[in-house]
Amino acid sequence: MTRIGCHGFVFSGRFDERGIANAIEGVQRAGFDFIEMPLMDPFSFDERAAARILADHDIEMTGSLGLSAATDLSSENAAVVRRGEELLTRAIDVVAAVGGTDLCGVIYSALQKYFAPATAQGRRNSAEALSRLGDYARSAGVQLSLEIVNRYETNVCNTAREGLAFLDEVGNDNVHLHLDTYHMNIEESGMFEPVLDGGDRLRYVHIGESHRGYLGSGSVDFDSLFRALHRIGYDGPIVFESFSSAVVDEQLTRSLGIWRNLWTDSDDLAAHANRFIRDGIRAVETIELH
Ligand code: MN
């Protein structure tokens, strides 16, 4: 059964105990099954408080992050790669500590604009580190998924097919594909082919509008996405992701270029997204009857 979740940044820009509680309460109010917790700084994350608040609200948690230049697994600098591996090891521990099963995001390179292609050595460093991390995650009961993002946010892979080729280089079946409609809308031929190409290697899906605002108010072809997910029998997590300068983390605001306000009411935005996603999935389920 597909679980529907919501990214923590819809409700909070800070993730101290108060921020964690605000985010989890908001996600529950909107009707979601779980929260995707941003773990940009997993060393400062209070997993005990999070586990308690999650249990109190009967909400599950996944984790996600984008690496920085200082922790870039695709760097040619061994010390930088090692710091990235340490950060991701800690993020896996956080997810496992709250009973979560998934860590995803841009965990194979820095989440930033690059001004040159990834180097062969950099790709190899990232693939080898992810293979080790995939084993570590498996022993913790966590699956890793690599989020494919657009050309302005990574230089390692920008399409599902490039992501699958990179996963072949990683060569660890506990490391999967993560697609995001916001990025697909920029780089892919459409919503259908990437999902079909991903098949059973597709483990995680982000739902975002073309401008990262209200679902249905932009140009993403959600009808095709839901049909494609149904066609491959997708039953993994689906997460609503939206960013506004109304609720921000300064670091992410800069790396993602969130310069304007597309919404101000987190509760209204999230409740709408929860209905939109569940309605989309329900509609394509009935195709079985045709
Ligand atoms: Mn995303």
Side-chain angles (χ1 to χ4, degrees):
M1 187 67 186
T2 289
R3 295 175 304 142
I4 313 298
C6 181
H7 196 280
F9 275 131
V10 170
F11 289 97
S12 183
R14 290 180 313 130
F15 291 89
D16 54 7
E17 186 169 342
R18 187 67 247 153
I20 290 171
N22 284 343
I24 290 169
E25 287 161 11
V27 163
Q28 185 204 36
R29 260 196 321 274
F32 290 100
D33 305 317
F34 70 97
I35 183 169
E36 181 181 311
M37 200 66 85
L39 298 175
M40 305 306 239
D41 181 9
F43 295 103
S44 72
F45 190 81
D46 185 346
E47 67 266 42
R48 286 197 197 90
R52 188 186 70 242
I53 300 164
L54 288 163
D56 285 349
H57 293 81
D58 195 22
I59 290 288
E60 296 173 20
M61 185 187 119
T62 63
S64 69
L65 62 96
L67 294 170
S68 70
T71 55
D72 184 351
L73 285 194
S74 72
S75 170
E76 294 193 332
N77 181 328
V80 171
V81 175
R82 194 161 54 242
R83 276 199 295 276
E85 208 166 332
E86 286 164 5
L87 183 138
L88 288 166
T89 299
R90 165 67 186 160
I92 290 164
D93 288 342
V94 167
V95 171
V98 302
T101 55
D102 286 88
L103 178 69
C104 60
V106 184
I107 56 177
Y108 50 90
S109 86
L111 177 65
Q112 65 173 36
K113 171 91 165 75
Y114 286 84
F115 292 92
T119 64
Q121 181 64 52
R123 280 181 77 95
R124 202 153 49 236
N125 288 349
S126 180
E128 288 173 5
L130 283 164
S131 185
R132 290 189 293 272
L133 287 160
D135 287 340
Y136 180 77
R138 191 195 328 267
S139 68
V142 174
Q143 307 193 56
L144 303 183
S145 298
L146 310 187
E147 180 172 12
I148 309 307
V149 299
N150 71 75
R151 65 190 72 187
Y152 308 110
E153 297 179 34
T154 187
N155 60 356
V156 172
C157 36
N158 304 128
T159 66
R161 283 183 197 159
E162 288 181 334
L164 292 168
F166 184 63
L167 285 175
D168 288 340
E169 294 171 37
V170 174
N172 186 318
D173 65 8
N174 195 41
V175 186
H176 312 267
L177 187 70
H178 167 184
L179 292 178
D180 178 320
T181 57
Y182 167 81
H183 300 286
M184 294 165 77
N185 186 58
I186 295 171
E187 301 287 0
E188 303 278 8
S189 54
M191 294 291 142
F192 222 80
E193 294 86 350
V195 171
L196 265 58
D197 288 345
D200 60 10
R201 294 209 275 175
L202 179 60
R203 164 68 197 169
Y204 208 96
V205 172
H206 272 172
I207 300 271
E209 193 43 283
S210 52
H211 42 49
R212 293 191 178 280
Y214 270 73
L215 299 182
S217 69
S219 58
V220 168
D221 178 9
F222 288 111
D223 288 345
S224 294
L225 176 86
F226 290 128
R227 283 169 188 246
L229 291 175
H230 182 255
R231 177 56 65 96
I232 66 164
Y234 182 79
D235 63 358
I238 296 180
V239 174
F240 172 58
E241 193 173 47
S242 179
F243 304 113
S244 169
S245 58
V247 177
V248 286
D249 164 86
E250 195 176 323
Q251 183 197 336
L252 199 73
T253 299
R254 291 174 185 210
S255 51
L256 299 183
I258 305 159
W259 313 129
R260 68 189 193 279
N261 228 341
L262 294 178
W263 47 263
T264 51
D265 184 339
S266 299
D267 282 321
D268 186 63
L269 172 88
H272 171 268
N274 181 54
R275 293 191 302 268
F276 185 98
I277 294 169
R278 292 187 196 276
D279 284 353
I281 290 170
R282 179 65 196 134
V284 296
E285 280 171 358
T286 67
I287 293 174
E288 301 285 349
L289 305 172
H290 291 207

